[in-house]
Amino acid sequence: MPREEAREVTHFGYRQVPLADKQALVDDVFHSVASRYDLMNDLMSGGLHRAWKDVLANTVNPPKGNRPFKLLDVAGGTGDIALRVAQAGGTGTRATVLDINPDMLAVGRARARGQGYDDALTFIDGNAEALPFPEGSFDAVTIAFGIRNVPRIDVALKEAFRVCRTGGRFLCLEFSCVDVPGLDALYDFYSFNVIPALGRMVTGDREAYRYLVESIRRFPHPEAFAQMMRDAGFARAGFERMAGGIVALHSGWRL
Ligand SMILES: C[S@@+](CC[C@H](N)C(=O)[O-])C[C@H]1O[C@@H](n2cnc3c(N)ncnc32)[C@H](O)[C@@H]1O
């Protein structure tokens, strides 16, 4: 490891850790919860994550006919976004799911096969910080609930920009900051008490879900994230809050 990298620090949830150690810690989390990840999403969000992901897929707005359209879903995990975009698009729509965790990808591959989408979807083991695709390969690049797990967010944004074609769109769905008085206290209580306990019951891993909650709190405010997108090269960077700010859909274009 380069000496500079060994000295840099970042956060894994609320814990300060060497930058070079973060990815392995994140990988352990998703290795531990992969088989119950989809169930936990439904339980934690009361099914709401489905509606948020539907908004993302509809915003991608793939063509309905046979016009070719290529989506890259970074940190795509079990394929939720790619499946939705493939379902929303026509016969020309193809989606690539890239994730660093083979356990999450294995669940996704099985789902795609089970739903008859194995031709439309490709699953690739890879790192958001070093995408294995040439410049301008995709019409749209998405990342849902993934970017806050990536150690170098700025590097991942630059990579998303690089592989997006000119005229293509980047969309990022991520947890955000609750901005409704009253809801914030309720959300805090639910996040720090209910979610880790639920995580322990369903996956046996309380710590994984404590990390999840803490990582949400450490993620930049949406205005700051929009600036990070601009710094990576995206034009017209903006966001739309949903569910009182629990999540935000960030959007930018490569122009
Ligand atoms: C909370 S899950 C989101 C999965 C999926 N996008 C969804 O919305 O259900 C976060 C995903 O990010 C992946 N991930 C973490 N670091 C990554 C990296 N550096 N490159 C690619 N994927 C990464 C994890 O393996 C995990 O599958």
Side-chain angles (χ1 to χ4, degrees):
M1 161 199 330
R3 298 187 87 163
E4 283 306 312
E5 187 176 313
R7 277 200 296 272
E8 280 182 78
V9 290
T10 187
H11 280 87
F12 173 73
Y14 287 169
R15 251 170 69 201
Q16 206 176 56
V17 297
L19 180 63
D21 292 357
K22 176 164 173 170
Q23 189 68 62
L25 293 164
V26 168
D27 293 349
D28 284 349
V29 165
F30 290 102
H31 168 71
S32 160
V33 305
S35 63
R36 315 221 92 193
Y37 174 80
D38 292 320
L39 172 65
M40 258 311 275
N41 277 349
D42 277 334
L43 294 176
M44 273 188 310
S45 72
L48 267 177
H49 76 108
R50 293 173 182 254
W52 299 329
K53 288 170 176 171
D54 284 346
V55 173
L56 170 57
N58 290 334
T59 310
V60 170
N61 193 20
K64 309 290 174 232
N66 60 2
R67 183 155 64 84
F69 181 85
K70 290 207 286 177
L71 169 81
L72 171 66
D73 186 40
V74 180
T78 60
D80 260 6
I81 303 304
L83 277 166
R84 278 175 169 72
V85 171
Q87 281 156 4
T91 51
T93 298
R94 294 282 176 275
T96 300
V97 179
L98 176 134
D99 200 282
I100 206 163
N101 196 308
D103 302 307
M104 296 289 279
L105 290 169
V107 175
R109 269 193 203 98
R111 283 177 78 198
R113 206 173 306 122
Q115 295 183 32
Y117 282 96
D118 37 357
D119 283 348
L121 266 58
T122 306
F123 290 83
I124 292 186
D125 191 340
N127 191 335
E129 294 179 3
L131 296 173
F133 310 106
E135 163 121 23
S137 301
F138 296 95
D139 298 293
V141 179
T142 53
I143 180 163
F145 306 117
I147 195 108
R148 72 177 189 284
N149 298 292
V150 176
R152 297 169 192 83
I153 293 177
D154 55 335
V155 175
L157 285 173
K158 283 190 185 121
E159 277 294 87
F161 182 81
R162 183 183 63 78
V163 303
C164 196
R165 72 164 167 83
T166 302
R169 193 172 193 182
F170 172 69
L171 289 160
C172 172
L173 186 63
E174 190 48 271
F175 290 105
S176 193
C177 311
V178 172
D179 57 0
V180 177
L183 179 63
D184 47 2
L186 199 67
Y187 181 59
D188 270 357
F189 177 81
Y190 183 75
S191 299
F192 287 99
N193 296 284
V194 180
I195 289 181
L198 198 62
R200 184 173 53 79
M201 270 183 341
V202 177
T203 69
D205 192 341
R206 186 178 211 286
E207 288 311 297
Y209 283 89
R210 193 163 67 100
Y211 159 71
L212 174 102
V213 171
E214 292 178 357
S215 65
I216 291 169
R217 299 314 157 100
R218 285 212 53 87
F219 190 66
H221 280 232
E223 292 83 1
F225 188 68
Q227 187 54 49
M228 291 173 79
M229 285 174 52
R230 283 182 209 108
D231 293 344
F234 289 107
R236 289 159 56 190
F239 59 89
E240 183 195 329
R241 290 188 168 92
M242 294 190 269
I246 293 176
V247 298
L249 179 60
H250 301 266
S251 162
W253 296 81
R254 180 170 182 173
L255 297 178

